[in-house]
Amino acid sequence: MEISYKQLLPKITTFIFDVDGVLTNGMLTIMPSGELVRHMNVKDGYAMKTALNKGFRVCIISGGTNEAVKSRLAALGIEDIYLGAHNKIVQYKEIVKKYNLTHNEVLYMGDDIPDIPVMQKVAMPTCPNDAVPEVQQTAKYISNIKGGEGCVRDVIEQVLKVQEKWDNYFDATL
């Protein structure tokens, strides 16, 4: 009997996300100065901040190196931000060791080929609905939302709801 992805959600303690194509739509605006501008969805930010406030770990592993991205994520309270990661399994193993995690506790969301090695390790590999076909084949859950449009909020909200940690009202203590 095949296990439903929903049955894996109660054990999740740690979220790991890629940036480009997950927290952003994967598009880059190239400014005249050469600066690359990315767009992030505030709903994803709210969900990540909520998860942190509820005691979950939120980590970032990205091949990109944009310092503005790092600043935005750090401002949300995310401490484990790995940029310039081209072999993401190295940073994944570091996170697992640092927090003494099992693979069953980890949800990872990626959208492209470099994400597959980590997705193959975690209990809950996920992706946005515009991820490349190889990633979609690896995922146990494909969000119905595209990268940069709230797919991170989608998976965080599902985990928190299953664990009865999602509040359907504004909590001023956040």
Side-chain angles (χ1 to χ4, degrees), residues 5-169:
Y5 82 90
K6 288 258 187 195
Q7 293 173 284
L8 301 170
L9 303 185
K11 295 181 181 175
I12 300 300
T13 64
T14 304
F15 298 97
I16 304 176
F17 300 108
D18 178 27
V19 174
D20 293 321
V22 173
L23 285 166
T24 76
N25 66 4
M27 302 292 287
L28 295 173
T29 301
I30 303 169
M31 303 303 287
S33 66
E35 178 186 8
L36 302 177
V37 177
R38 293 161 171 87
H39 300 266
M40 292 184 166
N41 191 303
V42 295
K43 290 176 185 154
D44 289 339
Y46 175 80
M48 289 187 290
K49 181 97 176 127
T50 300
L52 289 165
N53 288 341
K54 297 290 183 171
F56 291 84
R57 278 176 288 283
V58 177
C59 309
I60 305 298
I61 304 176
S62 175
T65 57
N66 187 291
E67 285 301 313
V69 167
K70 186 174 187 175
S71 295
R72 161 69 177 149
L73 296 169
L76 292 172
I78 300 170
E79 296 177 3
D80 296 290
I81 303 170
Y82 299 88
L83 301 181
H86 299 292
N87 183 8
K88 296 180 180 189
I89 200 76
V90 172
Q91 289 78 18
Y92 171 72
K93 288 178 179 178
E94 188 176 319
I95 292 166
V96 167
K97 183 177 181 182
K98 179 178 180 180
Y99 295 109
N100 194 28
L101 299 171
T102 67
H103 302 306
N104 291 336
E105 296 176 79
V106 182
L107 180 150
Y108 182 88
M109 181 175 265
D111 72 306
D112 210 342
I113 303 296
D115 299 305
I116 292 175
V118 177
M119 293 178 74
Q120 291 173 331
K121 289 281 188 196
V122 303
M124 191 60 208
T126 66
C127 67
N129 79 353
D130 57 345
V132 299
E134 296 88 347
V135 167
Q136 290 190 16
Q137 290 167 3
T138 306
K140 289 186 180 167
Y141 173 73
I142 301 171
S143 175
N144 62 346
I145 303 170
K146 292 180 180 180
E149 295 183 8
C151 61
V152 167
R153 163 84 176 247
D154 173 35
V155 295
I156 290 174
E157 189 172 332
Q158 286 193 58
V159 170
L160 271 62
K161 281 182 175 178
V162 164
Q163 295 186 23
E164 298 180 356
K165 295 179 180 177
W166 183 263
D167 299 320
N168 289 319
Y169 59 89

